[in-house]
Amino acid sequence: MVKRVVVLGSTGSIGTQTLDVIAQHPDRLQIVGLAAGRNAEALQRQAAQYGVKSLALYEGDPGGSIPTGMEAIVRLATLEEADLVVVSVAGVIGLLPTVEAIKAGKAIALASKEVLVAAGEIVMPLIKEHGVTMTPIDSEHSALFQCLQGYSADQIDRLILTASGGPFRGKKTTDLQNISVDQALNHPTWRMGGKITIDSATLMNKGLETIEAKWLFGVDVSQVEVVVHPQSVVHSLVKFRDGSVLGQLGWPDMRLPIAYALLYPERKPNTLRPWNPVDTPNLTFEPVDEDTFRSLRLARQSAEVGGTMPCAMNAANEEAANAFLRGEVGFLQIPEIVERTMDAHQPEVPSLENLLLADAASREIARTLIEGSTLLAP
């Protein structure tokens, strides 16, 4: 059976690799819809290459040939002929298309952490209500998902997320005072988009992944642990209540978890470099320095508060990370902006409406902080 796939965020890093994976499995996967943020030229090239007619842009010329706006993205995510929707858009803009795709009975392959970070409390019940599958694309959550096949949440002791440590592994706060954008984008292992690479440098990505794991696997946030693993070969581990530990290993290549998410429950041969234990005889693990990398702690705190607080935290982080990329704030100001935005937020019980309101209000607070003279980059 061929799965018909819509890719939201097709021109980004994950999106382009998703198209590569789909092209390798024409007997199992077919692209029926593509959406991008604002890159109309790249989207049209992809459409021509893969013979796709259903397109959408989040931002663009309303009078152009490609439908634009959130309504167009939602329409694409709910295409009648689609079986599976890949959500790989940056930020919380993936939330509404994901919700509507689930309601339309589409399976979800999720790469956008923010969907569950901001709205796990409403998304996961919808998954259950509509009887659809959600397969994670993140390498860490794919690893956990694979290790947990056949096991239930009550058998889990701990989920152990691995982190490369990013470009500033081993650094202290005093070393990070005058970090440049280029330094922060110089990731030692992965090649990703700008915002997620900054999240990796601050370790906020592990905070977001902690919250995502809570919702995906039905565990308490206190059961999710992060360890630094510089080689990026062990993608995550599950420790069970009997003391057994299972892990998923392989070279750091996003096409492997993408293929698993799209083809699940099948495993198909591919052209990726196979991993061999003797190629990496020295695999090491270290604790996370949460005093230096405060973003991880802030994300965990937002999950402990619950309600709309993770949404507020995520919105502030998006604004702060993107402001850093534009050179408007310093590297160490990112967690400061997040913390001050969280302090200003009054959490509520989540609904789609108040999550969107919390997101907008928190962005406004963060932007005000970014504009403040005391937070400008040195």
Side-chain angles (χ1 to χ4, degrees), residues 325-347:
L325 283 168
R326 296 190 300 266
E328 296 172 0
V329 300
F331 184 76
L332 292 177
Q333 274 68 58
I334 297 174
E336 182 179 345
I337 292 165
V338 172
E339 184 172 33
R340 290 175 63 176
T341 303
M342 288 172 60
D343 288 343
H345 181 68
Q346 297 297 318

Side-chain angles (χ1 to χ4, degrees), residues 343-366:
D343 288 343
H345 181 68
Q346 297 297 318
E348 299 180 25
V349 176
S351 68
L352 187 57
E353 181 181 7
N354 64 22
L355 283 169
L356 294 175
L357 289 172
D359 178 78
S362 299
R363 288 179 190 279
E364 188 60 34
I365 293 169

